Amino acid sequence: MLKTLYANSYLLGKLVKKDIRQRYQGSVLGVLWSMLVPVFMLGIYTFIFSEVFQAKWKIDTGDTYEFAFMLFCGLSAFNLLGEVMNRSTTLIVSNANYVKKVIFPLELLPVVLTLSALFHCTVSYGILIAAKFFLQHSISPVLYLVVPAAVPLVVLACGTGLFIAAISVYLKDVGNVISVIVTVLMYLSPVFFPLEAVPDNYRAVCGMNPITYIIENFRNVVLYHTPLNLSFYAVSCAAAFAVYLIGYVVFMRTKEGFADVI
């Protein structure tokens, strides 16, 4: 796969840019929406959870913005995976023109989705970091570790996209199933709660969710000012690469029949 990505790096870049532009095509503000929407959502989270619900985490720091930042950080990471999963269900069908081209490497398409989602995720985290700096007057000294923290998330999303894109060609009901799975995964992930708040009897269930430890490490680096939890990182990397390997094998073994089905 790395060889394919390197050989088609120019094409990959063009497809990612095209995908990002198409999302905002025809809108007045264009790509600016990728910044305005996260800013708006962060403001909503701050107001609803900090002022209306006065929601607090397990450790009360007295910070008005605490829960909003925690929620936004978790959702920004999860939304990357959720976006790739949902869009992968129609990826091959909506790009049938590429399927007909023998020389086009179809395995690039899930990578394009992942990198496009990564762009929006990066913008969201940039806004979160800026908000934390201006509202709390602090910035994480280990912020550079956000790059390695993102590696298992990107690999997991890419592998999941490959798998879903492949089986969606043959099983038309996958789209409905994936929408339910994404919702279940979100509520089983530490998006709305910290992992340490989960009772010990049920913590193993959350641990089975491959994105759980990824979210925790993003919060460690961006919000808690602490380095990566290496045990969490090892588990998340192992799970991500396992999912990617499965997705890649399934995609490569089934892609020859895409043209016949479509």
PDB file of all heavy atoms in Angstrom, residues 115-142:
ATOM      1  N   LEU A 115      -8.009  11.221   4.435  1.00  0.00           N
ATOM      2  CA  LEU A 115      -7.228  12.457   4.453  1.00  0.00           C
ATOM      3  C   LEU A 115      -8.128  13.688   4.420  1.00  0.00           C
ATOM      4  O   LEU A 115      -7.816  14.717   5.028  1.00  0.00           O
ATOM      5  CB  LEU A 115      -6.249  12.481   3.276  1.00  0.00           C
ATOM      6  CG  LEU A 115      -5.149  11.422   3.314  1.00  0.00           C
ATOM      7  CD1 LEU A 115      -4.226  11.556   2.106  1.00  0.00           C
ATOM      8  CD2 LEU A 115      -4.341  11.534   4.606  1.00  0.00           C
ATOM      9  N   SER A 116      -9.251  13.580   3.724  1.00  0.00           N
ATOM     10  CA  SER A 116     -10.214  14.680   3.716  1.00  0.00           C
ATOM     11  C   SER A 116     -10.795  14.891   5.109  1.00  0.00           C
ATOM     12  O   SER A 116     -10.916  16.026   5.593  1.00  0.00           O
ATOM     13  CB  SER A 116     -11.342  14.388   2.717  1.00  0.00           C
ATOM     14  OG  SER A 116     -12.330  15.399   2.753  1.00  0.00           O
ATOM     15  N   ALA A 117     -11.141  13.787   5.779  1.00  0.00           N
ATOM     16  CA  ALA A 117     -11.650  13.870   7.150  1.00  0.00           C
ATOM     17  C   ALA A 117     -10.571  14.368   8.102  1.00  0.00           C
ATOM     18  O   ALA A 117     -10.856  15.103   9.058  1.00  0.00           O
ATOM     19  CB  ALA A 117     -12.165  12.509   7.605  1.00  0.00           C
ATOM     20  N   LEU A 118      -9.317  13.986   7.833  1.00  0.00           N
ATOM     21  CA  LEU A 118      -8.202  14.442   8.666  1.00  0.00           C
ATOM     22  C   LEU A 118      -8.030  15.954   8.561  1.00  0.00           C
ATOM     23  O   LEU A 118      -7.687  16.616   9.546  1.00  0.00           O
ATOM     24  CB  LEU A 118      -6.913  13.737   8.240  1.00  0.00           C
ATOM     25  CG  LEU A 118      -5.637  14.131   8.992  1.00  0.00           C
ATOM     26  CD1 LEU A 118      -5.760  13.782  10.479  1.00  0.00           C
ATOM     27  CD2 LEU A 118      -4.421  13.440   8.384  1.00  0.00           C
ATOM     28  N   PHE A 119      -8.272  16.497   7.384  1.00  0.00           N
ATOM     29  CA  PHE A 119      -8.202  17.956   7.210  1.00  0.00           C
ATOM     30  C   PHE A 119      -9.175  18.661   8.138  1.00  0.00           C
ATOM     31  O   PHE A 119      -8.818  19.610   8.839  1.00  0.00           O
ATOM     32  CB  PHE A 119      -8.505  18.323   5.749  1.00  0.00           C
ATOM     33  CG  PHE A 119      -8.769  19.785   5.526  1.00  0.00           C
ATOM     34  CD1 PHE A 119      -7.714  20.680   5.462  1.00  0.00           C
ATOM     35  CD2 PHE A 119     -10.073  20.259   5.377  1.00  0.00           C
ATOM     36  CE1 PHE A 119      -7.948  22.041   5.260  1.00  0.00           C
ATOM     37  CE2 PHE A 119     -10.321  21.602   5.180  1.00  0.00           C
ATOM     38  CZ  PHE A 119      -9.254  22.501   5.121  1.00  0.00           C
ATOM     39  N   HIS A 120     -10.419  18.192   8.168  1.00  0.00           N
ATOM     40  CA  HIS A 120     -11.429  18.815   9.027  1.00  0.00           C
ATOM     41  C   HIS A 120     -11.116  18.577  10.508  1.00  0.00           C
ATOM     42  O   HIS A 120     -11.351  19.448  11.348  1.00  0.00           O
ATOM     43  CB  HIS A 120     -12.815  18.280   8.684  1.00  0.00           C
ATOM     44  CG  HIS A 120     -13.271  18.659   7.308  1.00  0.00           C
ATOM     45  ND1 HIS A 120     -13.107  17.833   6.219  1.00  0.00           N
ATOM     46  CD2 HIS A 120     -13.862  19.784   6.835  1.00  0.00           C
ATOM     47  CE1 HIS A 120     -13.590  18.428   5.141  1.00  0.00           C
ATOM     48  NE2 HIS A 120     -14.045  19.606   5.478  1.00  0.00           N
ATOM     49  N   CYS A 121     -10.578  17.410  10.808  1.00  0.00           N
ATOM     50  CA  CYS A 121     -10.192  17.113  12.184  1.00  0.00           C
ATOM     51  C   CYS A 121      -9.062  18.040  12.634  1.00  0.00           C
ATOM     52  O   CYS A 121      -9.073  18.550  13.770  1.00  0.00           O
ATOM     53  CB  CYS A 121      -9.746  15.651  12.295  1.00  0.00           C
ATOM     54  SG  CYS A 121      -9.281  15.125  13.958  1.00  0.00           S
ATOM     55  N   THR A 122      -8.116  18.294  11.759  1.00  0.00           N
ATOM     56  CA  THR A 122      -7.004  19.184  12.074  1.00  0.00           C
ATOM     57  C   THR A 122      -7.489  20.603  12.332  1.00  0.00           C
ATOM     58  O   THR A 122      -7.032  21.275  13.263  1.00  0.00           O
ATOM     59  CB  THR A 122      -5.976  19.189  10.925  1.00  0.00           C
ATOM     60  OG1 THR A 122      -5.505  17.855  10.705  1.00  0.00           O
ATOM     61  CG2 THR A 122      -4.802  20.088  11.244  1.00  0.00           C
ATOM     62  N   VAL A 123      -8.420  21.057  11.508  1.00  0.00           N
ATOM     63  CA  VAL A 123      -8.998  22.393  11.707  1.00  0.00           C
ATOM     64  C   VAL A 123      -9.691  22.472  13.065  1.00  0.00           C
ATOM     65  O   VAL A 123      -9.537  23.455  13.806  1.00  0.00           O
ATOM     66  CB  VAL A 123      -9.994  22.733  10.578  1.00  0.00           C
ATOM     67  CG1 VAL A 123     -10.742  24.029  10.884  1.00  0.00           C
ATOM     68  CG2 VAL A 123      -9.269  22.855   9.246  1.00  0.00           C
ATOM     69  N   SER A 124     -10.449  21.439  13.417  1.00  0.00           N
ATOM     70  CA  SER A 124     -11.157  21.417  14.696  1.00  0.00           C
ATOM     71  C   SER A 124     -10.189  21.490  15.868  1.00  0.00           C
ATOM     72  O   SER A 124     -10.406  22.238  16.833  1.00  0.00           O
ATOM     73  CB  SER A 124     -12.024  20.152  14.806  1.00  0.00           C
ATOM     74  OG  SER A 124     -13.050  20.161  13.842  1.00  0.00           O
ATOM     75  N   TYR A 125      -9.103  20.718  15.800  1.00  0.00           N
ATOM     76  CA  TYR A 125      -8.131  20.741  16.890  1.00  0.00           C
ATOM     77  C   TYR A 125      -7.378  22.066  16.938  1.00  0.00           C
ATOM     78  O   TYR A 125      -6.998  22.537  18.012  1.00  0.00           O
ATOM     79  CB  TYR A 125      -7.162  19.562  16.775  1.00  0.00           C
ATOM     80  CG  TYR A 125      -7.687  18.331  17.452  1.00  0.00           C
ATOM     81  CD1 TYR A 125      -8.213  17.274  16.717  1.00  0.00           C
ATOM     82  CD2 TYR A 125      -7.701  18.232  18.839  1.00  0.00           C
ATOM     83  CE1 TYR A 125      -8.727  16.146  17.341  1.00  0.00           C
ATOM     84  CE2 TYR A 125      -8.204  17.109  19.472  1.00  0.00           C
ATOM     85  CZ  TYR A 125      -8.721  16.080  18.718  1.00  0.00           C
ATOM     86  OH  TYR A 125      -9.242  14.974  19.351  1.00  0.00           O
ATOM     87  N   GLY A 126      -7.151  22.672  15.772  1.00  0.00           N
ATOM     88  CA  GLY A 126      -6.528  23.988  15.753  1.00  0.00           C
ATOM     89  C   GLY A 126      -7.388  25.020  16.472  1.00  0.00           C
ATOM     90  O   GLY A 126      -6.883  25.855  17.241  1.00  0.00           O
ATOM     91  N   ILE A 127      -8.692  24.940  16.255  1.00  0.00           N
ATOM     92  CA  ILE A 127      -9.621  25.852  16.921  1.00  0.00           C
ATOM     93  C   ILE A 127      -9.672  25.568  18.421  1.00  0.00           C
ATOM     94  O   ILE A 127      -9.721  26.490  19.248  1.00  0.00           O
ATOM     95  CB  ILE A 127     -11.022  25.721  16.287  1.00  0.00           C
ATOM     96  CG1 ILE A 127     -10.989  26.302  14.869  1.00  0.00           C
ATOM     97  CG2 ILE A 127     -12.079  26.421  17.132  1.00  0.00           C
ATOM     98  CD1 ILE A 127     -12.210  26.031  14.057  1.00  0.00           C
ATOM     99  N   LEU A 128      -9.652  24.284  18.785  1.00  0.00           N
ATOM    100  CA  LEU A 128      -9.662  23.916  20.204  1.00  0.00           C
ATOM    101  C   LEU A 128      -8.414  24.450  20.907  1.00  0.00           C
ATOM    102  O   LEU A 128      -8.501  25.003  22.013  1.00  0.00           O
ATOM    103  CB  LEU A 128      -9.731  22.393  20.343  1.00  0.00           C
ATOM    104  CG  LEU A 128      -9.590  21.823  21.761  1.00  0.00           C
ATOM    105  CD1 LEU A 128     -10.718  22.335  22.656  1.00  0.00           C
ATOM    106  CD2 LEU A 128      -9.578  20.304  21.722  1.00  0.00           C
ATOM    107  N   ILE A 129      -7.262  24.294  20.290  1.00  0.00           N
ATOM    108  CA  ILE A 129      -6.007  24.769  20.880  1.00  0.00           C
ATOM    109  C   ILE A 129      -6.018  26.290  21.028  1.00  0.00           C
ATOM    110  O   ILE A 129      -5.601  26.844  22.051  1.00  0.00           O
ATOM    111  CB  ILE A 129      -4.810  24.308  20.030  1.00  0.00           C
ATOM    112  CG1 ILE A 129      -4.672  22.785  20.099  1.00  0.00           C
ATOM    113  CG2 ILE A 129      -3.512  24.980  20.482  1.00  0.00           C
ATOM    114  CD1 ILE A 129      -3.743  22.198  19.056  1.00  0.00           C
ATOM    115  N   ALA A 130      -6.537  26.982  19.992  1.00  0.00           N
ATOM    116  CA  ALA A 130      -6.612  28.442  20.046  1.00  0.00           C
ATOM    117  C   ALA A 130      -7.571  28.895  21.143  1.00  0.00           C
ATOM    118  O   ALA A 130      -7.284  29.837  21.897  1.00  0.00           O
ATOM    119  CB  ALA A 130      -7.061  28.991  18.687  1.00  0.00           C
ATOM    120  N   ALA A 131      -8.717  28.207  21.257  1.00  0.00           N
ATOM    121  CA  ALA A 131      -9.696  28.565  22.292  1.00  0.00           C
ATOM    122  C   ALA A 131      -9.129  28.335  23.682  1.00  0.00           C
ATOM    123  O   ALA A 131      -9.333  29.149  24.595  1.00  0.00           O
ATOM    124  CB  ALA A 131     -10.976  27.746  22.095  1.00  0.00           C
ATOM    125  N   LYS A 132      -8.415  27.238  23.846  1.00  0.00           N
ATOM    126  CA  LYS A 132      -7.807  26.949  25.145  1.00  0.00           C
ATOM    127  C   LYS A 132      -6.774  28.009  25.513  1.00  0.00           C
ATOM    128  O   LYS A 132      -6.655  28.423  26.672  1.00  0.00           O
ATOM    129  CB  LYS A 132      -7.169  25.554  25.115  1.00  0.00           C
ATOM    130  CG  LYS A 132      -6.555  25.114  26.446  1.00  0.00           C
ATOM    131  CD  LYS A 132      -6.080  23.686  26.364  1.00  0.00           C
ATOM    132  CE  LYS A 132      -5.335  23.268  27.629  1.00  0.00           C
ATOM    133  NZ  LYS A 132      -6.176  23.389  28.833  1.00  0.00           N
ATOM    134  N   PHE A 133      -6.029  28.473  24.520  1.00  0.00           N
ATOM    135  CA  PHE A 133      -5.011  29.486  24.765  1.00  0.00           C
ATOM    136  C   PHE A 133      -5.644  30.823  25.165  1.00  0.00           C
ATOM    137  O   PHE A 133      -5.208  31.469  26.118  1.00  0.00           O
ATOM    138  CB  PHE A 133      -4.149  29.668  23.517  1.00  0.00           C
ATOM    139  CG  PHE A 133      -3.117  30.753  23.644  1.00  0.00           C
ATOM    140  CD1 PHE A 133      -1.964  30.549  24.387  1.00  0.00           C
ATOM    141  CD2 PHE A 133      -3.308  31.980  23.032  1.00  0.00           C
ATOM    142  CE1 PHE A 133      -1.012  31.551  24.513  1.00  0.00           C
ATOM    143  CE2 PHE A 133      -2.362  32.982  23.147  1.00  0.00           C
ATOM    144  CZ  PHE A 133      -1.214  32.770  23.890  1.00  0.00           C
ATOM    145  N   PHE A 134      -6.688  31.225  24.442  1.00  0.00           N
ATOM    146  CA  PHE A 134      -7.301  32.526  24.705  1.00  0.00           C
ATOM    147  C   PHE A 134      -8.203  32.519  25.941  1.00  0.00           C
ATOM    148  O   PHE A 134      -8.296  33.528  26.648  1.00  0.00           O
ATOM    149  CB  PHE A 134      -8.108  32.982  23.484  1.00  0.00           C
ATOM    150  CG  PHE A 134      -7.255  33.462  22.354  1.00  0.00           C
ATOM    151  CD1 PHE A 134      -7.145  32.709  21.185  1.00  0.00           C
ATOM    152  CD2 PHE A 134      -6.546  34.647  22.443  1.00  0.00           C
ATOM    153  CE1 PHE A 134      -6.351  33.146  20.144  1.00  0.00           C
ATOM    154  CE2 PHE A 134      -5.749  35.091  21.393  1.00  0.00           C
ATOM    155  CZ  PHE A 134      -5.651  34.337  20.242  1.00  0.00           C
ATOM    156  N   LEU A 135      -8.851  31.393  26.227  1.00  0.00           N
ATOM    157  CA  LEU A 135      -9.785  31.350  27.348  1.00  0.00           C
ATOM    158  C   LEU A 135      -9.132  30.889  28.651  1.00  0.00           C
ATOM    159  O   LEU A 135      -9.531  31.321  29.732  1.00  0.00           O
ATOM    160  CB  LEU A 135     -10.966  30.426  27.007  1.00  0.00           C
ATOM    161  CG  LEU A 135     -11.843  30.885  25.838  1.00  0.00           C
ATOM    162  CD1 LEU A 135     -12.904  29.840  25.530  1.00  0.00           C
ATOM    163  CD2 LEU A 135     -12.504  32.226  26.141  1.00  0.00           C
ATOM    164  N   GLN A 136      -8.153  30.004  28.556  1.00  0.00           N
ATOM    165  CA  GLN A 136      -7.494  29.484  29.758  1.00  0.00           C
ATOM    166  C   GLN A 136      -6.042  29.935  29.873  1.00  0.00           C
ATOM    167  O   GLN A 136      -5.374  29.630  30.859  1.00  0.00           O
ATOM    168  CB  GLN A 136      -7.557  27.943  29.771  1.00  0.00           C
ATOM    169  CG  GLN A 136      -8.969  27.384  29.875  1.00  0.00           C
ATOM    170  CD  GLN A 136      -8.991  25.865  29.961  1.00  0.00           C
ATOM    171  OE1 GLN A 136      -8.117  25.186  29.424  1.00  0.00           O
ATOM    172  NE2 GLN A 136      -9.984  25.328  30.643  1.00  0.00           N
ATOM    173  N   HIS A 137      -5.557  30.628  28.847  1.00  0.00           N
ATOM    174  CA  HIS A 137      -4.195  31.156  28.840  1.00  0.00           C
ATOM    175  C   HIS A 137      -3.152  30.053  29.068  1.00  0.00           C
ATOM    176  O   HIS A 137      -2.204  30.221  29.820  1.00  0.00           O
ATOM    177  CB  HIS A 137      -4.035  32.250  29.897  1.00  0.00           C
ATOM    178  CG  HIS A 137      -5.077  33.322  29.823  1.00  0.00           C
ATOM    179  ND1 HIS A 137      -5.147  34.212  28.764  1.00  0.00           N
ATOM    180  CD2 HIS A 137      -6.111  33.616  30.648  1.00  0.00           C
ATOM    181  CE1 HIS A 137      -6.181  35.029  28.964  1.00  0.00           C
ATOM    182  NE2 HIS A 137      -6.776  34.682  30.075  1.00  0.00           N
ATOM    183  N   SER A 138      -3.381  28.933  28.421  1.00  0.00           N
ATOM    184  CA  SER A 138      -2.436  27.824  28.541  1.00  0.00           C
ATOM    185  C   SER A 138      -2.381  27.052  27.235  1.00  0.00           C
ATOM    186  O   SER A 138      -3.339  27.028  26.464  1.00  0.00           O
ATOM    187  CB  SER A 138      -2.843  26.874  29.677  1.00  0.00           C
ATOM    188  OG  SER A 138      -4.055  26.203  29.366  1.00  0.00           O
ATOM    189  N   ILE A 139      -1.228  26.444  27.003  1.00  0.00           N
ATOM    190  CA  ILE A 139      -1.043  25.603  25.833  1.00  0.00           C
ATOM    191  C   ILE A 139      -0.165  24.429  26.243  1.00  0.00           C
ATOM    192  O   ILE A 139       0.770  24.592  27.031  1.00  0.00           O
ATOM    193  CB  ILE A 139      -0.417  26.386  24.666  1.00  0.00           C
ATOM    194  CG1 ILE A 139      -0.454  25.549  23.386  1.00  0.00           C
ATOM    195  CG2 ILE A 139       0.988  26.840  24.994  1.00  0.00           C
ATOM    196  CD1 ILE A 139      -0.139  26.354  22.135  1.00  0.00           C
ATOM    197  N   SER A 140      -0.484  23.264  25.763  1.00  0.00           N
ATOM    198  CA  SER A 140       0.215  22.055  26.191  1.00  0.00           C
ATOM    199  C   SER A 140       1.667  22.058  25.733  1.00  0.00           C
ATOM    200  O   SER A 140       1.948  22.281  24.543  1.00  0.00           O
ATOM    201  CB  SER A 140      -0.500  20.817  25.640  1.00  0.00           C
ATOM    202  OG  SER A 140       0.230  19.650  25.915  1.00  0.00           O
ATOM    203  N   PRO A 141       2.608  21.804  26.651  1.00  0.00           N
ATOM    204  CA  PRO A 141       4.024  21.742  26.256  1.00  0.00           C
ATOM    205  C   PRO A 141       4.365  20.491  25.453  1.00  0.00           C
ATOM    206  O   PRO A 141       5.447  20.407  24.871  1.00  0.00           O
ATOM    207  CB  PRO A 141       4.756  21.750  27.604  1.00  0.00           C
ATOM    208  CG  PRO A 141       3.781  21.161  28.566  1.00  0.00           C
ATOM    209  CD  PRO A 141       2.433  21.621  28.102  1.00  0.00           C
ATOM    210  N   VAL A 142       3.464  19.522  25.444  1.00  0.00           N
ATOM    211  CA  VAL A 142       3.703  18.286  24.685  1.00  0.00           C
ATOM    212  C   VAL A 142       2.773  18.213  23.475  1.00  0.00           C
ATOM    213  O   VAL A 142       2.438  17.135  22.997  1.00  0.00           O
ATOM    214  CB  VAL A 142       3.523  17.035  25.576  1.00  0.00           C
ATOM    215  CG1 VAL A 142       4.598  16.964  26.624  1.00  0.00           C
ATOM    216  CG2 VAL A 142       2.139  17.020  26.228  1.00  0.00           C
TER     217      VAL A 142
END
